Amino acid sequence: MKSNKINIVTIAIGSILVYLMIWNASRIVSPLHLPSHSLMKSFVKNCLVLIPVVGTLLVLHKPKSIITSLGLNSSILKGLAYSFVLTLPLYIGFAIFGKFNSEINLSVIVRQCVLAALFEEIVFRGFMFGQLFRYSKVGFFWAAFFPAILFGLGHIYQGHDIISSLAAFGITFIGALYFSWIYVEWNFNLWMPICLHFFMNLSWQLFIIDGTEVASGGLISNILRISSIALAIAMTLVHRKREKSKIFNYPIWTI
């Protein structure tokens, strides 16, 4: 119990340092005079955010165990295959009700889809949530709740007024809880939420439809997003049944 409390404090301090780095990364890289919205600038900023993550993980685990503690040692092919199927409602719906974004380019895809999904899931799911839930024995709700708040706060900039900012916070907060649940139910394979995050962001970039320019989304985009989540829940139930296990078969409210 004492060890768990020490781990919780360590993760909390590491999370605070991570969030401080997120908000100050642009200021730190500014002396490099990298072009705004450039691929290199995004990569460097994300790498800076990983410094306190790696530092904290080195305190919690042996160096050779860090990749495993995050869940990055699991099957990436499984993550890609299942995530693609789970996001098909988005691609089919966007293709029917929207139009293809002819201005999309590789730099945007890498920055907004690949890097965003990879680094955000490592930080918020593998590190903040995963370390609390897997190694500090904090119940699912509390372990997921606080990283979800931070995740939501990191997206309020996508709103253009108070209402839309609150909507962006709410949607991304729920999305964070959803990704955490997927992470747990698929045996801590971090590639599942990474790939889900990637394919969801990619659909947002490839198609133009009302609401896809902001995190909160529009009516049709949110209906399609809910359809994707419903499909994910159904497939996860099948997955757990095959493994002869039930969903939420773990502590929920423990602190």
Side-chain angles (χ1 to χ4, degrees), residues 16-130:
I16 292 172
L17 294 175
V18 166
Y19 215 67
L20 288 173
M21 185 64 79
I22 290 174
W23 286 108
N24 290 283
S26 294
R27 188 180 306 170
I28 295 172
V29 302
S30 61
L32 298 177
H33 301 294
L34 297 171
S36 179
H37 303 299
S38 70
L39 183 57
M40 180 57 69
K41 187 173 184 178
S42 296
F43 180 75
V44 173
K45 286 169 60 178
N46 282 306
C47 286
L48 285 173
V49 173
L50 286 186
I51 292 175
V53 171
V54 174
T56 306
L57 291 175
L58 286 172
V59 174
L60 297 171
H61 308 285
K62 295 179 180 179
K64 64 180 180 180
S65 301
I66 288 178
I67 298 298
T68 301
S69 76
L70 293 171
L72 289 171
N73 61 316
S74 301
S75 172
I76 185 174
L77 292 178
K78 185 175 184 179
L80 282 168
Y82 278 105
S83 297
F84 176 72
V85 172
L86 296 179
T87 53
L88 277 177
L90 294 173
Y91 288 90
I92 295 172
F94 287 169
I96 294 173
F97 296 104
K99 63 179 181 179
F100 183 75
N101 181 10
S102 59
E103 297 182 1
I104 190 71
N105 58 66
L106 182 60
S107 177
V108 171
I109 291 175
V110 174
R111 286 189 294 106
Q112 301 295 330
C113 304
V114 178
L115 294 183
L118 180 62
F119 284 95
E120 288 182 9
E121 293 307 313
I122 288 176
V123 170
F124 291 97
R125 246 61 65 193
F127 173 59
M128 291 186 184
F129 165 74

Side-chain angles (χ1 to χ4, degrees), residues 180-244:
S180 294
W181 181 73
I182 288 291
Y183 178 43
V184 174
E185 298 293 353
W186 290 82
N187 304 316
F188 300 104
N189 180 350
L190 192 61
W191 293 109
M192 280 296 295
I194 287 174
C195 294
L196 266 176
H197 199 151
F198 165 75
F199 282 119
M200 290 177 73
N201 282 10
L202 182 62
S203 68
W204 241 243
Q205 296 296 332
L206 288 180
F207 297 96
I208 299 174
I209 188 172
D210 181 45
T212 54
E213 70 278 2
V214 293
S216 56
L219 177 62
I220 293 177
S221 59
N222 280 326
I223 290 174
L224 294 172
R225 185 152 48 184
I226 291 171
S227 299
S228 177
I229 292 174
L231 179 59
I233 292 172
M235 189 170 288
T236 300
L237 287 170
V238 173
H239 168 69
R240 300 312 298 171
K241 186 175 182 179
R242 286 178 178 175
E243 295 198 344
K244 299 181 179 179

